[in-house]
């Protein structure tokens, strides 16, 4: 017909192309946000909204000691898909700071917590970190949730010689090529977690294994380490199927059916948070749990969200800091946390508390809050964490805290599945040897 | 690979196609009639799901779910009508790029709005007892809800076909798809028709969001996820064609499911290979209207 039509048609195809481009851009923009959510730190579970969480203002009943305060800067994700983790970080860090103040402060000085939102973006994390160091003159840096942000922040901490303790992000690169002496970690790192799973399951009755992991750096790395460990320890083990859904995939049915059709007897998965919750519900309806043995990162938030939807009795789960760990410190912490925030503490809360306490104990020991004193004292330092007495390894400042693996069991008390026993695979069995660490750093 | 596993995978592909069809049908209609590439279509999908969560929690039980399925698409359709009237109508005579930017802006606005109202945390929409659990099929078990989804999509497809071929509204839409300029000349109130079509499309997106939700998690970001796949469906099927949308949804759903089975890491890529192949063979989509 007429030329106007042709012109319009041609324009329309351009628009369609543009639309596609815009969409791809939108998708790419979104991706780093989740993508950097490296390790385990996910989209959040739980039905209530983040805004519902009690305001983690300092406890007004605490008598804060007089004097120039020591400042702790926390840069974590308070918005975005993983905000729930950041809120738990903030709640617990504030609780730890209140405890310190109640006990007379650190070096007799009050402690103050300043919290900033990284938005789970490396550049924002770096900007906030610089601001905290230059303007607020913080004495210690905590955070973040995602490893992408952590790798960016650790450089700034090194440059400014500020102690930096990670409690949620845990890429092994922080201990290896990106390591510096002002850094420490109270989280078992990605390599440790995957090796713990391999060690734990190598002598199980299962030899035909399959894996399903989110299709990005964290999922690929953990799966590769797991496969390497388990096949090395048990040569009979065979990997019969590997599935890689996108992070945030809403429909996992085709993946689950493929796993079931592969003939695997057991399945390993570093899926986490929302993805794991979706997977669990959809897998249940496909008869998955009746047919195969399954092990995955069921941490507190995911278990709370799943509640009793799906029978998880006997499923083997791994996590970093289940609140059922049997230490007097943990018992006390859980009680006070529930009191204050009306929820059991997640792994992300427990580890942030440990990070603050580690720093306080190191500073008291050194008698000096400077970065230099921290770096000189923290290697080999023995301290008490919620997970029991432990120490910081000299070579990479990794806390000797293992990966917790246990069968799940229903708890009427907490109205959720909990870890039946909370015994870790010891850190010494699963971390890289000192030689390997030095080699990874090219030393 | 045994036969029953293949059949089961085919069924999972069909349930995926069901949701895609419902959502993409709205997208395709809006494009066909209004010639607008509505990127905010995914927002209506997401808003539908979130409102349904709130409503079904308020009312509770099976009644809550049914009420959500009936009322929420109407609410979202009303929202769609307002959006069309305020944001899009002034742009019909303008550059297509402007319209595209406007719907892109709407996507961002709705995203922030949903975050402000419902927060960052994922929510859950519970299916009625009747639709939960599984049935035995091909020597394995298959989720009852997925069967419901497939059935719902078939019923909806028939209803849409009837609407398009048996009603005045449908006739006007078809006329708008094939020649919008003629429509005004023959006395149809075009602005009102456009508002109606846009609202109808928004309602379909919301319905898709509600129906998809019980199997998965309701969360921020589901808008962008669905829109990319829905676009693949309408590009394959042909923008503006209902039959094309159905065929496109089936192709995308089944290609993806089978892809997972045979080339796990390239399943989504296979969907786009199909899309590119269709575009090369028939640039206007399988059932699209060729250039005149």
């Amino acid at each position: 017909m007429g030329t106007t039509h042709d012109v319009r048609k041609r324009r329309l195809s351009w628009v369609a192309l543009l639309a596609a481009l815009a969409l791809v851009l939108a998708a790419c923009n979104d991706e780093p946000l989740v993508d950097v959510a490296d390790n385990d730190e996910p989209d959040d579970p739980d039905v209530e909204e983040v805004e519902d969480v009690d305001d983690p203002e300092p406890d007004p009943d605490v008598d804060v000691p007089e004097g120039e305060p020591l400042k702790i800067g926390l840069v974590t994700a308070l918005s975005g898909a993983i905000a729930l983790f950041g809120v738990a970080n903030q709640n617990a860090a504030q609780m730890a700071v209140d405890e310190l103040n109640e006990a007379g402060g650190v070096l007799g000085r009050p402690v103050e917590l300043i919290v900033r939102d990284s938005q789970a973006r490396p550049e924002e994390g770096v900007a906030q970190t610089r601001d905290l160091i230059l303007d607020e003159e913080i004495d210690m840096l905590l955070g973040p949730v995602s490893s992408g942000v952590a790798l960016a922040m650790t450089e700034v901490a090194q440059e400014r010689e500020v102690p930096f303790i990670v409690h949620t992000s845990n890429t092994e690169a922080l201990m290896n090529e990106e390591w510096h002496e002002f850094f420490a970690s109270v989280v078992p790192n990605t390599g440790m977690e995957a090796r713990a799973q391999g060690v734990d399951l190598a002598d199980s009755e299962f030899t035909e294994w399959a894996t399903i992991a989110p299709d990005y750096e964290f999922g690929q790395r953990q799966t590769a380490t797991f496969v390497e460990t388990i096949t090395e320890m048990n040569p009979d083990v065979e990997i019969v199927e590997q599935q890689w859904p996108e992070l945030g995939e809403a429909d996992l049915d085709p993946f689950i059916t493929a796993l079931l059709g592969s003939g695997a007897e057991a399945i390993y998965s570093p899926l986490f948070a929302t993805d794991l919750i979706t997977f669990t519900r959809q897998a249940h309806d496909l008869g998955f749990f009746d047919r195969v043995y399954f092990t995955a990162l069921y941490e507190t938030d995911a278990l709370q969200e799943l509640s009793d939807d799906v029978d998880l009795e006997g499923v083997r789960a791994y996590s970093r800091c289940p609140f059922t760990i049997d230490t007097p410190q943990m018992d006390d912490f859980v009680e006070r946390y529930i009191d204050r925030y009306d929820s059991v503490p997640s792994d992300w809360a427990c580890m942030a508390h440990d990070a603050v306490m580690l720093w306080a104990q190191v500073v008291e020991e050194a008698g000096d809050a400077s970065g230099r004193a921290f770096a000189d004292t923290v290697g080999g330092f023995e301290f008490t964490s919620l997970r029991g007495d432990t120490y910081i390894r000299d070579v990479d400042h990794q806390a000797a805290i293992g990966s917790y693996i246990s069968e799940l069991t229903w708890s009427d008390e907490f109205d959720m599945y909990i870890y039946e026993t909370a015994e870790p695979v010891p850190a010494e069995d699963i971390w890289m040897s000192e030689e390997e660490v030095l080699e990874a750093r090219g030393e | 690979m045994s036969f029953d596993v293949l059949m089961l995978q085919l069924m999972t592909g069909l349930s995926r196609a069901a949701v895609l069809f419902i959502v993409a049908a709205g997208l395709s209609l809006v494009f066909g009639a209004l010639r607008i590439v509505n990127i905010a279509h995914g927002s209506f999908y997401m808003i539908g799901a979130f409102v349904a969560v709130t409503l079904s929690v308020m009312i509770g039980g099976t009644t809550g779910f049914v009420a959500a399925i009936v009322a929420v698409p109407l609410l979202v359709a009303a929202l769609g009508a307002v959006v069309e009237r305020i944001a899009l109508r002034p742009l019909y005579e303008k550059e297509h790029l402007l319209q595209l930017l406007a719907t892109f802006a709407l996507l961002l606005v709705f995203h922030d709005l949903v975050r402000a109202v419902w927060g960052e945390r994922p929510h859950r929409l519970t299916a009625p007892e009747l639709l939960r659990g599984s049935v035995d099929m091909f020597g394995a078990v298959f989720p009852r809800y997925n069967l419901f989804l497939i059935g719902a999509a078939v019923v909806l497809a028939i209803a849409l076909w009837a609407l398009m071929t048996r009603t005045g509204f449908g006739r006007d839409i078809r006329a708008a798809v094939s020649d919008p300029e003629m429509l005004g000349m023959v006395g149809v109130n075009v602005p009102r028709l456009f508002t109606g079509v846009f609202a109808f499309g928004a309602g379909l997106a919301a319905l898709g969001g509600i129906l998809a939700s019980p199997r998965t998690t309701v969360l921020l970001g589901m808008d962008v996820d669905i829109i990319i796949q829905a676009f693949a469906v309408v590009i394959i099927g042909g923008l503006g064609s209902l039959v094309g949308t159905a065929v496109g949804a089936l192709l995308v759903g089944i290609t993806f499911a089978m892809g997972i089975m045979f080339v796990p890491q390239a399943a989504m890529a296979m969907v786009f290979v199909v899309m590119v192949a269709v575009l090369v063979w028939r640039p206007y989509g399988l059932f699209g209207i060729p250039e005149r």
Side-chain angles (χ1 to χ4, degrees):
Chain A
M1 272 227 270
T3 36
T4 47
H5 264 283
D6 289 339
V7 170
R8 191 161 69 175
K9 285 279 178 186
R10 215 167 299 137
R11 272 209 202 126
L12 272 178
S13 18
W14 278 109
V15 171
L17 193 70
L18 267 171
L21 273 176
L23 284 169
V24 170
L25 274 179
C28 292
N29 259 340
D30 255 8
E31 246 164 56
L33 198 144
V34 203
D35 212 71
V36 289
D38 236 311
N39 315 323
D40 31 307
E41 30 247 345
D43 329 346
D44 16 334
D46 272 33
V47 192
E48 311 138 46
E49 290 170 20
V50 168
E51 284 77 8
D52 290 345
V53 175
D54 287 346
D55 202 7
E57 287 294 300
D59 188 340
D61 298 338
V62 172
D63 288 326
V64 179
E66 300 283 312
E68 182 68 19
L70 287 170
K71 293 179 179 173
I72 299 177
L74 167 63
V75 179
T76 191
L78 295 171
S79 57
I82 48 180
L84 186 63
F85 289 44
V87 171
N89 289 163
Q90 183 182 5
N91 287 347
Q94 187 61 57
M95 244 175 85
V97 165
D98 289 343
E99 276 163 49
L100 291 172
N101 285 332
E102 204 162 4
V106 172
L107 301 177
R109 290 165 65 183
V111 183
E112 189 188 330
L113 178 72
I114 307 169
V115 185
R116 294 287 171 82
D117 185 3
S118 70
Q119 299 169 15
R121 293 190 297 131
E123 60 282 13
E124 184 67 20
V126 165
Q128 296 293 355
T129 301
R130 282 194 194 284
D131 190 54
L132 283 174
I133 293 174
L134 298 177
D135 288 359
E136 301 286 352
E137 296 180 344
I138 53 168
D139 299 282
M140 193 268 274
L141 178 65
L142 284 181
V145 174
S146 70
S147 291
V149 183
L151 289 170
M153 284 169 67
T154 202
E155 268 183 46
V156 185
Q158 176 176 25
E159 184 188 307
R160 298 283 163 182
E161 304 196 352
V162 173
F164 175 40
I165 306 180
V166 295
H167 43 79
T168 305
S169 57
N170 68 340
T171 175
E172 211 164 23
L174 289 165
M175 289 83 196
N176 298 341
E177 57 269 31
E178 302 300 328
W179 185 81
H180 57 83
E181 56 186 337
F182 305 98
F183 167 87
S185 167
V186 295
V187 203
N189 65 44
T190 45
M192 291 166 73
E193 283 195 315
R195 281 188 286 272
Q197 289 286 96
V199 169
D200 178 60
L201 295 161
D203 51 3
S204 71
E205 57 192 293
F206 309 110
T207 53
E208 311 268 291
W209 280 83
T211 66
I212 176 165
D215 194 10
Y216 73 116
E217 202 255 355
F218 159 71
Q220 289 155 1
R221 244 201 220 212
Q222 273 224 344
T223 304
T225 309
F226 169 77
V227 168
E228 199 183 293
T229 311
I230 196 168
T231 49
E232 204 167 280
M233 297 196 63
N234 183 350
D236 293 336
V237 166
E238 202 189 330
I239 307 296
V240 296
E241 177 81 26
Q242 297 206 287
Q243 287 293 341
W244 308 95
E246 291 295 311
L247 201 62
E249 170 65 59
D251 175 15
L252 290 161
D253 281 358
F255 301 88
I256 298 162
T257 322
L259 289 173
L260 289 175
S262 70
E265 304 164 294
I267 287 148
Y268 163 80
S269 174
L271 287 173
F272 54 76
T274 310
D275 286 356
L276 180 60
I277 292 163
T278 307
F279 178 90
T280 304
R281 288 181 178 143
Q282 295 179 354
H284 172 261
D285 287 345
L286 284 161
F288 181 86
F289 294 101
D290 297 332
R291 291 178 55 189
V292 290
Y293 179 87
F294 184 57
T295 177
L297 212 173
Y298 283 107
E299 40 73 45
T300 304
D301 284 328
L303 292 171
Q304 266 186 314
E305 170 68 13
L306 282 165
S307 185
D308 60 353
D309 287 0
V310 174
D311 181 5
L312 292 174
E313 199 71 34
V315 166
R316 199 152 182 87
Y318 67 102
S319 99
R320 297 164 179 185
C321 196
F323 70 92
T324 44
I325 293 172
D326 190 18
T327 65
Q329 293 83 6
M330 183 63 98
D331 290 348
D332 178 53
F333 174 69
V334 172
E335 201 181 308
R336 282 180 300 115
Y337 195 93
I338 294 176
D339 232 30
R340 184 157 172 180
Y341 300 115
D342 203 24
S343 151
V344 291
S346 64
D347 295 37
W348 328 112
C350 147
M351 293 187 294
H353 188 277
D354 268 357
V356 175
M357 290 309 182
L358 166 65
W359 169 79
Q361 290 174 47
V362 169
V363 171
E364 289 286 0
E365 168 75 22
D368 179 348
S370 71
R372 175 47 48 206
F374 178 86
D376 291 343
T377 313
V378 74
F381 186 76
E382 291 176 15
F383 77 110
T384 306
S385 90
L386 295 176
R387 290 164 281 184
D389 292 336
T390 185
Y391 64 96
I392 299 290
R393 176 161 77 158
D394 196 36
V395 70
D396 56 2
H397 295 180
Q398 165 72 51
I401 292 172
S403 174
Y404 289 83
I405 302 181
S406 163
E407 247 101 67
L408 294 173
T409 186
W410 178 256
S411 157
D412 282 329
E413 184 188 353
F414 297 108
D415 197 31
M416 63 187 275
Y417 282 93
I418 59 168
Y419 281 57
E420 191 166 20
T421 57
E423 286 301 320
V425 177
E428 291 82 356
D429 295 350
I430 52 177
W431 57 21
M432 289 168 86
S433 69
E434 301 203 359
E435 296 73 41
E436 286 168 330
V437 170
L438 294 175
E439 200 188 310
R441 283 184 207 154
E443 284 173 25
Chain B
M1 195 63 50
S2 62
F3 177 73
D4 27 317
V5 173
L6 274 181
M7 288 310 289
L8 212 57
Q9 194 66 332
L10 186 69
M11 292 298 292
T12 66
L14 284 180
S15 19
R16 200 180 175 89
V19 173
L20 282 177
F21 168 73
I22 299 169
V23 178
L27 186 67
S28 180
L29 276 182
V30 168
F31 180 85
L34 282 68
R35 294 292 195 276
I36 277 197
V37 177
N38 181 22
I39 298 182
H41 196 67
S43 308
F44 297 125
Y45 172 85
M46 177 166 76
I47 292 170
F50 273 95
V51 177
V53 167
T54 303
L55 191 71
S56 70
V57 167
M58 258 162 56
I59 299 174
T62 306
T63 329
F65 186 74
V66 175
I69 285 189
V70 175
V72 175
L74 294 175
L75 282 174
V76 176
L79 173 69
V82 174
V83 165
E84 193 273 344
R85 186 70 192 76
I86 294 173
L88 298 179
R89 192 177 290 185
L91 299 177
Y92 289 136
E93 297 304 315
K94 301 269 163 49
E95 274 292 305
H96 284 298
L97 183 60
L98 262 184
Q99 302 172 355
L100 182 74
L101 287 177
T103 65
F104 191 64
L106 285 170
L107 177 88
L108 300 178
V109 169
F110 284 130
H111 187 273
D112 278 1
L113 210 64
V114 168
R115 172 161 48 205
V117 176
W118 284 278
E120 302 271 1
R121 297 177 95 149
H123 293 68
R124 178 154 201 229
L125 182 64
T126 318
E129 196 67 55
L130 189 71
L131 300 176
R132 278 184 249 165
S134 321
V135 291
D136 286 320
M137 210 179 228
F138 313 114
V141 295
F142 192 71
R144 196 170 283 153
Y145 192 83
N146 287 20
L147 291 179
F148 164 72
L149 265 185
I150 296 169
V154 171
V155 170
L156 199 79
I158 295 170
L160 281 176
W161 171 81
L163 178 90
M164 294 296 282
T165 53
R166 299 273 185 273
T167 68
F169 182 57
R171 186 199 57 220
D172 290 350
I173 294 176
R174 280 184 297 131
V177 170
S178 55
D179 198 340
E181 278 154 28
M182 277 298 288
L183 209 58
M185 293 182 211
V186 297
V188 172
N189 184 341
V190 176
R192 205 171 68 192
L193 175 71
F194 279 10
T195 308
V197 173
F198 195 85
F200 188 64
L204 279 177
L207 182 65
I210 301 163
L211 288 175
S213 292
R215 318 181 36 246
T216 176
T217 315
V218 177
L219 78 170
L220 275 173
M222 61 193 283
D223 48 353
V224 175
D225 287 341
I226 195 74
I227 196 72
I228 292 174
Q229 294 183 59
F231 264 110
V233 167
V234 291
I235 288 170
I236 290 173
L239 285 155
S241 160
L242 209 55
V243 179
T245 305
V247 173
L250 285 171
L251 264 176
V252 170
I254 293 170
T255 304
F256 184 79
M258 290 301 160
I260 289 298
M261 197 135 247
F262 297 106
V263 277
Q265 261 179 308
M268 205 61 210
M270 275 182 62
V271 170
F272 289 107
V273 167
V274 170
M275 192 175 96
V276 169
V278 167
L279 281 180
V280 169
W281 176 43
R282 289 171 75 93
Y284 34 87
L286 290 177
F287 293 83
I289 304 155
E291 290 187 30
R292 291 174 297 248

